Amino acid sequence: MKIIMLGAPGAGKGTQAKKIAGKYGIPHISTGDIFRANIKNGTELGKKAKTYMDQGLLVPDELVVDLVVDRVNQEDCTKGYVLDGFPRTIPQAEALDKALADVDQKIDYAINVEVPDENIVNRMSGRRACVSCGATYHLVYAPTKEEGICDNCQGSLILRDDDKPETVKKRLNVYHEQTQPLIDYYTKAGVLVEVDGTIDIDDVFAAIVKVLEEA
Ligand code: ADP
Ligand code: ADP
Ligand code: ZN
């Protein structure tokens, strides 16, 4: 089962991708997480990516495409995977399709998690991420048991720099211009699934599972 998560920043792609990966035993591949790990480790890729991420801009396609194509060709991806945060542009989608077609494969579902812009700034300002394991929480909608401490690993929680309202507005514009056209792209490919992302986390997940198990 090869799945792509689509949706605005903060729509809940990562939250749902982790649940799907857990239920079906397939890897969760988040390009944002890969970049943040590279930044933390001080790699060349991390240094390059950071200048774009800090401004709320997309990292150039050439820095992300090969990385994802290599990743999905690894052994643990043979049963499928959930891509979260990739593709984000039409050229990225085309590059992925081509790489998959070369090995006679294709994407099965592109799940669009729909949340209106008005809800997004609110979502993002309450998002907290664990510095150690990358787990994501929300102050109101997905709180930790103990404030400021990760439930998984006891790591400390931070507000991502790019989740501050000024950068979120920029990221939303970038989303509408560069990523939203993918909804049309995957509709034409016949694999688009729409889910309402404004309802409770568990209800969004139930809606996704229903679609995945209907087929
Ligand atoms: P969110 O989950 O809030 O949408 P991500 O963690 O997916 O954010 O991405 C954070 C940042 O990393 C993006 O704003 C962008 O700068 C960069 N990024 C992640 N994935 C991609 C991609 N596929 N193409 C270009 N830039 C990306
Ligand atoms: P994305 O990966 O699309 O950027 P996340 O999964 O990181 O989004 O979710 C953004 C924030 O919103 C997080 O703080 C998360 O806990 C919270 N969140 C996710 N889904 C929901 C939901 N259905 N209702 C309320 N809050 C949610
Ligand atoms: Zn943690």
Side-chain angles (χ1 to χ4, degrees), residues 2-215:
K2 292 182 274 304
I3 300 172
I4 287 171
M5 303 304 296
L6 295 176
K13 300 179 298 295
T15 301
Q16 298 301 328
K18 284 181 190 134
K19 290 170 85 70
I20 296 168
K23 182 173 169 82
Y24 297 103
I26 52 180
H28 166 217
I29 303 172
S30 156
T31 43
D33 286 353
I34 294 172
F35 288 137
R36 281 184 290 276
N38 274 274
I39 292 171
K40 201 170 159 190
N41 296 327
T43 68
E44 270 317 301
L45 174 65
K47 281 177 201 152
K48 284 185 193 154
K50 188 174 189 309
T51 61
Y52 298 95
M53 291 167 76
D54 283 349
Q55 298 176 69
L57 298 173
L58 294 184
V59 174
D61 291 339
E62 55 273 24
L63 291 182
V64 65
V65 167
D66 292 350
L67 181 125
V68 173
V69 169
D70 286 347
R71 181 68 190 86
V72 299
N73 282 323
Q74 283 168 26
E75 189 63 37
D76 63 332
C77 288
T78 46
K79 275 195 344 182
Y81 43 80
V82 191
L83 281 176
D84 162 19
F86 182 95
R88 259 186 159 95
T89 64
I90 295 280
Q92 289 180 17
E94 289 171 347
L96 176 67
D97 276 351
K98 185 175 176 303
L100 289 176
D102 286 346
V103 288
D104 267 332
Q105 295 182 355
K106 66 182 242 349
I107 292 299
D108 300 301
Y109 301 97
I111 301 174
N112 181 35
V113 184
E114 278 183 292
V115 175
D117 285 10
E118 309 78 275
N119 304 21
I120 293 292
V121 177
N122 202 0
R123 283 268 182 108
M124 306 298 250
S125 57
R127 171 155 72 178
R128 292 294 180 275
C130 172
V131 285
S132 307
C133 75
T136 307
Y137 302 94
H138 192 282
L139 291 180
V140 179
Y141 309 119
T144 47
K145 294 199 186 77
E146 221 180 308
E147 204 184 310
I149 305 202
C150 177
D151 287 349
N152 284 344
C153 77
Q154 313 294 306
S156 42
L157 303 185
I158 52 152
L159 170 66
R160 271 167 48 182
D161 265 344
D162 63 344
D163 280 352
K164 294 178 178 151
E166 319 78 72
T167 320
V168 169
K169 284 182 195 134
K170 182 78 166 291
R171 289 165 65 199
L172 269 176
N173 288 337
V174 167
Y175 166 76
H176 289 301
E177 277 174 27
Q178 302 192 58
T179 307
Q180 209 170 11
L182 293 177
I183 295 175
D184 242 23
Y185 181 93
Y186 288 108
T187 302
K188 286 186 185 128
V191 295
L192 192 85
V193 173
E194 310 245 23
V195 295
D196 177 0
T198 64
I199 56 181
D200 280 1
I201 291 174
D202 289 338
D203 296 332
V204 179
F205 185 56
I208 292 174
V209 169
K210 188 160 175 260
V211 172
L212 299 182
E213 300 194 348
E214 249 165 23

